[in-house]
Amino acid sequence: MSAYPAIADHGMVGDLQTAALVSSEGTIDWWCTPRFDSPSVFASLLDSERGGYCRLAAHLPGGQEPVVRQLYLSDTAVLVTRFMAPGGVGEVADFMTPLTTGTPTDRHRLVRVVREVRGSMDFRLTCRPRFDYGRAPHTLERTGEAAAVFHGPGTDLHLHLHLQVTSPFVLHPDDDDLTARCTLTAGQTAAVVLTSDASGAAAPEELVAEDIRAELEACRTFWHGWLRSCTYRGRWRDIVNRSAITLKLLTYAPTGAPIAAATMGLPEQIGGERNWDYRYTWVRDSSLAVRALSDLGFTEEAAAFRRWLRERLEAGGTASGEPLQIMYRIDGDPHLTEEVLDHLEGYEGSSPVRAGNAAADQIQLDIYGEAADALAQAGEMGGIRGWKTFADVLDWLADHWDRPDEGIWETRGGQQEFTYSRLMTWVAFDRGIKLATLHSRPADTTRWAKSRDAVFRQIVDRGWNEQRQAFVQHYATDVLDASLLLMPRVGFLSPTDPAWLSTLDAMDQELVSDSLVYRYNPEASPDGLRGSEGTFNLCSFLYVEALARSGRLHQARYAFDKMLTYANHVGLFAEEIGPSGEQIGNFPQAFTHLALVAAAIALDEHLDKAEHGGTDG
């Protein structure tokens, strides 16, 4: 067993307030609780020795290894890991019951159900929690042969982790950790339940097999019921449904705020320094995620995020002095102090491991466009007060759009006049004008229109490189940038405009490799960081969408089908694809899954038109 499983060798389970990763070896090697952005209890994914884990897996005699397969129960977030050997077949079903009340809770329950399908098989359990990213000691309290609690007194949250098992498991102490083993024969089941608690509530009730079965069925029923709202009926229903479930799992139900990814510190290059904390809510990512869910018919999620976004606009008071900060904690807290956890080795030695994110203080002007677009989709601005706040932001933007910033990719190599940032300020003014006109709201639309047109002229004059015959990353370079693949979608120009088609051709030459797309060339456009990165999955799916909108359907479908082969065994994507086709970066990545949804919808739409219109694409 390798010290570090492949990043892609995981499925995710969650309860809409926190999430855990389970490897195909049966190991929970990542779980932060009681929230996505809380310190970890299990983090062996970032340090195999110090991080902590909970392993529940088959054990074969003589050092044999079972054949392992992992899958989700269809259209659910119930993850099943199957262990197969000549003497038997067993499986572990991991799940967390979704918390649908919308109320934050400090108590979370992760259930692991073991079942023997054929023959007999030994199973072994090892639970070694390491609180506060492995920094806080814990003590073990036995409360019986089938229950114990790990106390983490050194943590700010005073977090406790209860471990309960059903027969025939019997818990045995291993210093301050626990182990257990049992043999199951065909038809037998057992359960292991982890309950994290920072509330000081009473110990969980004793486990009852019938209750566990009912809990599993309730979890399945929830996901089947939730997916019934999906309006997608296209060619790729299975992978689109999986992406929708993933986006839902990455959304903090009490506030409606999506996070960028479930993890922190997973590298963009093995052994490199591009290791960031993505467990927060980016205005950009979240606005695009909500657009994807809205396009699939999930209107409640879209409305919840818009409320969260309006609250951020009304709160103001960001560290940068801007009306909006680029990212927040899931409860709207703008403070994301970055620290280096130098006691952690990092995934396969990729250090430093960072918690928090210093990019929160950056200026990225594009967020105003994404925010305006998200609010404009419903046309409901939160009443008179909401409209006034929105209009005030656009009035402010009219005075402040023409500035250098750090750009969409949060480079740490200095501010530039990024074309994508300008593009999205154009979107902000465009959507504001349309909303004011449609709903007859008071607004200085004359000023907004003047700013919108000034942005447009500047992009055309300075963002266009005559020699490259393409729009470029920023005004002081001839380097291309895949973020501009969104130009046609946001309506800045037609997808068949000659200037756009020549830009797409230039991207084909510079950024596309075997249908996979790089964000930009860091060697030609230094970003202040050492090392390289893989192709960016978001950009690869944006490329598919852009090809489809531009009528290049054969190319688009081929690129899309090829991208789907890079999904992991349960349909999840990380942030990037490495040089050997491996998934790298934080996992699973909301950006990737939202772009997959958008690409599928656009490709379906244009394939349908071509089939009915007789065009060959």
Side-chain angles (χ1 to χ4, degrees):
M1 188 158 35
S2 63
Y4 292 98
I7 290 172
D9 193 26
H10 292 86
M12 176 176 65
V13 297
D15 62 7
L16 311 184
Q17 295 190 22
T18 183
L21 297 188
V22 185
S23 78
S24 66
E25 296 170 343
T27 302
I28 302 172
D29 53 20
W30 183 255
W31 189 24
C32 297
T33 182
R35 303 190 331 185
F36 295 119
D37 55 357
S38 297
S40 63
V41 173
F42 301 130
S44 60
L45 194 57
L46 294 179
D47 194 307
S48 59
E49 295 295 325
R50 303 177 187 87
Y53 62 88
C54 177
R55 181 176 299 126
L56 177 57
H59 179 77
L60 303 186
Q64 302 176 70
E65 293 291 337
V67 174
V68 182
R69 295 290 184 269
Q70 197 173 53
L71 67 150
Y72 279 112
L73 295 185
S74 182
D75 288 342
T76 76
V78 178
L79 185 70
V80 177
T81 308
R82 308 194 80 219
F83 302 92
M84 295 171 281
V89 174
E91 59 187 31
V92 176
D94 288 288
F95 69 94
M96 299 179 75
T97 302
L99 299 168
T100 57
T101 64
T103 303
T105 177
D106 286 336
R107 197 175 181 112
H108 299 269
R109 181 178 169 96
L110 200 165
V111 182
R112 317 196 73 184
V113 178
V114 192
R115 182 170 74 101
E116 186 63 15
V117 178
R118 173 179 61 80
S120 67
M121 189 169 277
D122 291 340
F123 285 87
R124 290 191 177 179
L125 168 71
T126 304
C127 189
R128 304 187 186 282
R130 297 294 182 265
F131 293 85
D132 191 25
Y133 306 117
R135 294 181 295 194
H138 70 269
T139 56
L140 175 66
E141 178 189 357
R142 294 287 304 280
T143 56
E145 290 187 341
V149 57
F150 301 94
H151 298 285
T155 67
D156 291 339
L157 292 171
H158 302 292
L159 189 67
H160 309 287
L161 183 67
H162 298 269
L163 175 63
Q164 298 169 283
V165 297
T166 62
S167 176
F169 277 119
V170 176
L171 294 175
H172 299 282
D174 179 11
D175 293 330
D176 285 331
D177 301 321
L178 286 171
T179 64
R181 61 185 300 175
C182 72
T183 300
L184 298 180
T185 57
Q188 283 190 306
T189 62
V192 176
V193 177
L194 296 160
T195 304
S196 71
D197 181 26
S199 66
E205 295 180 359
E206 183 178 348
L207 298 183
V208 178
E210 290 76 11
D211 293 342
I212 295 291
R213 284 195 290 270
E215 195 172 353
L216 174 58
E217 189 56 34
C219 185
R220 294 178 64 179
T221 300
F222 169 86
W223 287 109
H224 289 157
W226 182 76
L227 269 180
R228 277 198 291 270
S229 298
C230 185
T231 56
Y232 179 78
R233 299 293 182 269
R235 295 165 176 81
W236 295 280
R237 286 186 67 176
D238 285 347
I239 195 68
V240 168
N241 282 353
R242 180 53 53 200
S243 290
I245 290 172
T246 302
L247 291 172
K248 177 69 170 175
L249 282 170
L250 293 174
T251 301
Y252 185 63
T255 62
I259 58 172
T263 59
M264 55 177 254
L266 293 182
E268 297 176 19
Q269 179 188 28
I270 303 300
E273 68 167 337
R274 298 166 184 261
N275 318 312
W276 314 111
D277 190 346
Y278 278 10
R279 301 168 301 149
Y280 307 114
T281 300
W282 271 254
V283 170
R284 173 193 312 111
D285 304 37
S286 301
S287 297
L288 294 172
V290 164
R291 171 68 180 267
L293 287 172
S294 182
D295 288 345
L296 293 176
F298 297 108
T299 55
E300 289 185 9
E301 287 73 14
F305 172 70
R306 291 188 190 103
R307 286 193 296 272
W308 181 91
L309 182 57
R310 288 195 299 267
E311 289 170 1
R312 305 287 74 71
L313 287 168
E314 291 170 2
T318 64
S320 62
E322 309 280 303
L324 268 182
Q325 192 162 288
I326 69 165
M327 74 178 92
Y328 299 83
R329 292 190 179 274
I330 49 181
D331 59 1
D333 184 348
H335 303 292
L336 286 83
T337 304
E338 186 175 297
E339 62 175 323
V340 172
L341 305 180
D342 53 14
H343 65 288
L344 295 179
E345 177 186 39
Y347 179 83
E348 291 195 1
S350 302
S351 61
V353 174
R354 299 177 176 91
N357 201 310
D361 295 335
Q362 288 188 357
I363 295 175
Q364 298 173 21
L365 294 169
D366 67 282
I367 62 174
Y368 298 101
E370 283 109 2
D373 194 50
L375 294 171
Q377 287 164 35
E380 202 289 300
M381 306 300 294
I384 297 172
R385 180 180 175 184
W387 173 258
K388 184 180 184 305
T389 300
F390 178 73
D392 287 345
V393 170
L394 284 188
D395 287 341
W396 174 90
L397 190 61
D399 291 328
H400 295 88
W401 67 265
D402 195 9
R403 296 177 294 159
D405 67 349
E406 275 85 5
I408 178 177
W409 306 128
E410 297 174 359
T411 60
R412 301 193 180 192
Q415 296 182 340
Q416 298 287 349
E417 294 175 298
F418 285 101
T419 306
Y420 179 79
S421 297
R422 296 298 195 273
L423 169 69
M424 296 311 291
T425 60
W426 177 90
V427 169
F429 293 123
D430 177 76
R431 303 308 190 261
I433 293 166
K434 289 175 179 175
L435 282 171
T437 303
L438 179 64
H439 298 286
S440 302
R441 291 290 182 260
D444 193 348
T445 53
T446 301
R447 185 183 183 206
W448 296 356
K450 183 178 179 182
S451 298
R452 178 200 61 191
D453 296 345
V455 176
F456 185 93
R457 284 191 293 268
Q458 188 185 93
I459 292 173
V460 171
D461 293 343
R462 301 182 62 197
W464 173 261
N465 185 285
E466 190 66 28
Q467 183 176 358
R468 299 297 306 273
Q469 286 292 292
F471 290 100
V472 292
Q473 184 182 58
H474 59 77
Y475 298 163
T477 188
D478 63 358
V479 171
L480 304 180
D481 192 310
S483 64
L484 297 179
L485 286 164
L486 281 166
M487 273 184 152
R489 188 212 280 189
V490 300
F492 184 81
L493 41 62
S494 163
T496 57
D497 188 302
W500 170 246
L501 294 177
S502 64
T503 298
L504 196 53
D505 289 337
M507 289 185 182
D508 278 334
Q509 295 296 316
E510 181 169 305
L511 300 180
V512 181
S513 173
D514 192 29
S515 300
L516 303 177
V517 183
Y518 291 93
R519 295 189 294 180
Y520 56 92
N521 181 354
E523 293 181 3
S525 179
D527 56 12
L529 297 165
R530 297 187 303 273
S532 61
E533 62 180 21
T535 56
F536 210 71
N537 293 331
L538 163 74
C539 300
S540 297
F541 284 120
L542 291 181
Y543 176 61
V544 170
E545 181 183 356
L547 289 172
R549 292 181 184 277
S550 299
R552 301 178 180 182
L553 293 182
H554 292 312
Q555 190 181 355
R557 185 161 191 172
Y558 179 65
F560 188 65
D561 287 340
K562 188 180 292 185
M563 265 304 295
L564 296 186
T565 69
Y566 291 99
N568 80 343
H569 55 290
V570 291
L572 303 182
F573 283 93
E575 185 177 21
E576 301 180 12
I577 302 295
S580 300
E582 72 277 14
Q583 295 205 34
I584 52 178
N586 283 306
F587 176 91
Q589 177 85 352
F591 240 169
T592 304
H593 287 277
L594 69 89
L596 185 159
V597 169
I601 291 173
L603 192 50
D604 271 317
E605 176 188 345
H606 290 278
L607 285 171
D608 288 344
K609 287 180 181 177
E611 289 171 4
H612 292 107
T615 336
D616 63 10

